[in-house]
């Protein structure tokens, strides 16, 4: 059996969310007992909480929602690169471009240790020319352990706009601490949420035999 790495954040009431977003919440609608045979819950989650995929609708009013995204970008061979040496923003010079050759999905590890317990406003963004070069190489999906491709305070969202121009897909909030750089099979399917600009995903990497 080939090894599986779960690269998803646990979702719970204290999961760090984008400043101003409401917290994740889990509700109990029924509990076993007094003639009730089941426990039944419900949840509220910001669509960008935890490990998630942005839909094109997030950065373009005419973009596809999570329910309408083609799924093939989110499942298939990928390459994981360690770019912890990047400072502030992943630049062209920070990437081993030869290691990407031929891969349609690229995941970048920017954290030494993923910040599970507190929001990190200073996460490492990705320069838009890096996205543009990836798109020109045929990369269809960019994933990062950071909360966003662009800096928290960005109003122009240059990296997201470069993703739009290349019709790429995005995964954010991946947890990559335990995974060695290399090539894997990625599975990280967005939920079929009609009208959603993002969706939680259960992201995994599987060793390629
Ligand atoms: N993960 C999201 C973060 C994001 O853009 C965001 C999420 C909630 C509220 C505001 C956001 N962006 C800018 O104001 C993203 O980068 O796509
Ligand atoms: Zn997002
Ligand atoms: Zn994003």
């Amino acid at each position: 059996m080939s090894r599986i790495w779960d690269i998803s954040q646990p979702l719970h009431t204290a999961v760090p969310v984008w400043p101003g977003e409401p917290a994740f919440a889990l509700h109990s609608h029924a509990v076993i007992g007094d003639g009730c045979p089941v426990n039944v819950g419900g949840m509220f989650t910001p669509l960008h909480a935890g490990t998630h995929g942005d839909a094109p609708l997030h950065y373009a009013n005419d973009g596809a929602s999570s329910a309408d995204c083609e799924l093939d970008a989110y499942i298939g061979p990928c390459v994981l690169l360690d770019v912890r040496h990047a400072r502030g923003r992943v630049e062209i010079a920070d990437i081993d471009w030869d290691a990407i050759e031929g891969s349609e999905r690229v995941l970048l590890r920017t954290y030494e240790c993923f910040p599970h317990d507190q929001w990190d406003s200073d996460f490492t963004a990705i320069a838009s020319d890096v996205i543009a070069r990836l798109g020109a190489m045929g990369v269809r999906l960019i994933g990062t352990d950071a909360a966003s491709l662009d800096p928290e305070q960005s109003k122009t969202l240059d990296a997201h706009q470069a993703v739009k121009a290349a019709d790429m897909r995005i995964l954010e909030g991946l947890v990559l601490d335990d995974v060695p750089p290399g090539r894997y099979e990625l599975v990280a399917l967005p939920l079929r949420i009609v009208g959603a600009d993002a969706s939680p995903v259960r992201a995994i990497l599987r060793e390629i035999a």
Side-chain angles (χ1 to χ4, degrees), residues 18 21 48 52 54 58 147-149 152 155 160 172:
W18 195 271
E21 287 281 270
H48 295 262
H52 68 278
D54 290 357
H58 179 53
S148 180
L149 303 184
E152 182 184 306
K155 296 305 179 200
H160 284 81
E172 294 166 335

Side-chain angles (χ1 to χ4, degrees), residues 79-118:
V79 61
L80 168 58
L81 302 183
D82 184 345
V83 293
R84 284 178 285 177
H85 48 275
R87 292 289 171 264
R89 195 171 69 167
V90 179
E91 304 289 352
I92 295 272
D94 293 319
I95 288 189
D96 175 1
W97 294 96
D98 293 338
I100 293 173
E101 207 46 55
S103 187
E104 291 188 331
R105 299 166 192 81
V106 175
L107 308 183
L108 301 180
R109 176 189 178 183
T110 68
Y111 280 116
E112 185 64 38
C113 185
F114 186 87
H116 286 283
D117 302 326
Q118 74 283 333

Side-chain angles (χ1 to χ4, degrees), residues 9-19 48-50 114-120 147:
Q9 294 178 54
L11 284 174
H12 52 83
T13 54
V15 67
V17 295
W18 195 271
H48 295 262
F114 186 87
H116 286 283
D117 302 326
Q118 74 283 333
W119 176 257
D120 173 20

Side-chain angles (χ1 to χ4, degrees), residues 150-184:
D150 287 295
E152 182 184 306
Q153 301 306 322
S154 172
K155 296 305 179 200
T156 53
L157 294 188
D158 298 338
H160 284 81
Q161 293 306 319
V163 161
K164 178 188 175 188
D167 195 27
M168 294 165 69
R169 296 295 177 263
I170 298 170
L171 293 174
E172 294 166 335
L174 297 168
V175 182
L176 300 171
D177 294 11
D178 299 335
V179 191
R183 291 182 178 260
Y184 300 89

